[in-house]
Amino acid sequence: MSIHHSRSRKLESERADRMFASKRLACLLYAPCLIPLAGAFLLLRLEITGPTTTVYIAMASLLGLVSGFLDMFRRKIIRQDEAI
């Protein structure tokens, strides 16, 4: 029973590693910065100017920076895992 249990854990660990290394996850990292950016473009399209548009654009750029750092750290972890 323990052999099956350890094999199951190993397969689950490999699946989690593949999911972590997938490009789909990298796209999901950048998804939060697209939401305020789409809101800003919608407000500009409706010709509603003001501080809300500026706030949305600033929020999108800050979320883009955070997403970029998270993606950089994710790639670094993947490289270290491959080196081991």
Side-chain angles (χ1 to χ4, degrees):
M1 188 69 164
S2 66
I3 294 171
H4 176 69
H5 188 64
S6 64
R7 186 183 312 167
S8 173
R9 279 192 179 182
K10 183 178 178 184
L11 289 174
E12 184 179 331
S13 173
E14 289 175 358
R15 183 181 157 279
D17 290 343
R18 281 194 311 268
M19 184 64 176
F20 183 71
S22 73
K23 299 213 184 277
R24 193 174 2 161
L25 183 66
C27 291
L28 288 177
L29 282 173
Y30 289 99
C33 64
L34 295 177
I35 296 168
L37 193 60
F41 284 133
L42 180 67
L43 289 176
L44 288 174
R45 182 75 176 157
L46 296 173
E47 296 178 4
I48 300 172
T49 58
T52 56
T53 308
T54 308
V55 168
Y56 281 157
I57 292 173
M59 189 184 336
S61 65
L62 289 175
L63 284 172
L65 285 172
V66 170
S67 299
F69 280 119
L70 288 175
D71 189 39
M72 180 183 66
F73 291 137
R74 184 185 68 86
R75 289 180 188 187
K76 189 175 182 180
I77 290 171
I78 291 170
R79 272 189 264 127
Q80 288 177 351
D81 189 41
E82 289 173 355
I84 293 174

